[in-house]
Amino acid sequence: MFVGRECELNKLNTLYRSDQFEFAVFYGRRRVGKTTLIKEFIKDKKAHYYMAIEGTATENLAGLSASLISADSRISFGSFEELFQYIDRTCTAERQILVIDEYPYLAASYPTISSLIQRHIDNCWLNSKLFLILCGSSMSFMENQVLGYKSPLYGRRTAQFKLHPFTFFK
């Protein structure tokens, strides 16, 4: 049962209905409901969800690849660039959501990922129907490396959600 976060869910659905590129950033302490909110939002939509791991770039590439392609597909990606080129080709015709949860883990395993995402936003995704969601529990990382002025992703987000724990009354 999903309880609370109706305001955030309504905002996400409004963004989704825009049918244009959207880039939402979620951050907040662990165990405040970020992943639950995102999963509630995507449950009835065409979405690709990947939770990054504290592993290597190769492991994260394999996991993200698996979230994009069906198990019986013969498509494989040799690099994050190839994976994002695949998204370039598939996100123009129909609305789709790409969620990368625990984004700081992915960025730690592949430090140039933010620059790569920046390039694809600027060169392709801005004119697409992609809804990109990056989520992380490391508040300092998300504030500095995703939202911060020196971040390659600075100024590209269309929404941000800093989630706080529920209070007794909410």
Side-chain angles (χ1 to χ4, degrees):
M1 175 173 44
F2 183 78
V3 177
R5 308 283 188 213
E6 288 86 9
C7 180
E8 293 89 347
L9 195 55
N10 288 336
K11 173 72 173 172
L12 284 167
N13 281 310
T14 298
L15 293 168
Y16 182 80
R17 287 190 298 271
S18 77
D19 211 32
Q20 63 188 14
F21 175 73
E22 300 290 351
F23 173 21
V25 177
F26 283 79
Y27 63 111
R29 289 185 359 211
R30 294 194 181 285
R31 312 299 303 158
V32 297
K34 298 178 301 296
T35 299
T36 301
L37 171 60
I38 291 167
K39 286 185 173 182
E40 179 68 18
F41 167 62
I42 67 172
K43 73 179 180 183
D44 59 348
K45 299 170 179 71
K46 179 171 180 158
H48 310 284
Y49 175 88
Y50 175 64
M51 181 177 286
I53 61 169
E54 287 185 280
T56 66
T58 302
E59 291 169 320
N60 276 304
L61 175 61
L64 184 54
S65 297
S67 73
L68 288 172
I69 56 178
S70 62
D72 59 356
S73 176
R74 300 202 187 269
I75 298 173
S76 65
F77 305 109
S79 67
F80 284 102
E81 178 63 32
E82 286 180 19
L83 184 144
F84 290 143
Q85 288 173 353
Y86 173 81
I87 294 169
D88 293 348
R89 293 188 302 273
T90 61
C91 70
T92 55
E94 68 176 322
R95 184 60 141 176
Q96 62 180 301
I97 303 167
L98 173 61
V99 179
I100 303 175
D101 202 346
E102 294 298 350
Y103 180 72
Y105 293 156
L106 175 58
S109 75
Y110 190 70
T112 60
I113 194 74
S114 293
S115 293
L116 190 58
I117 291 171
Q118 171 202 7
R119 187 171 70 212
H120 283 270
I121 289 172
D122 292 350
N123 294 328
C124 184
W125 300 347
L126 274 177
N127 298 313
S128 75
K129 297 181 179 194
L130 180 67
F131 194 139
L132 174 64
I133 298 174
L134 299 182
C135 179
S137 298
S138 173
M139 291 183 40
S140 62
F141 178 91
M142 296 302 286
E143 289 172 340
N144 296 320
Q145 302 297 319
V146 176
L147 299 170
Y149 182 73
K150 293 183 179 181
S151 167
L153 299 173
Y154 178 78
R156 288 165 178 82
R157 74 176 179 336
T158 57
Q160 72 183 52
F161 298 83
K162 183 176 184 180
L163 295 186
H164 299 280
F166 287 121
T167 65
F168 179 74
F169 297 103
K170 182 177 175 189

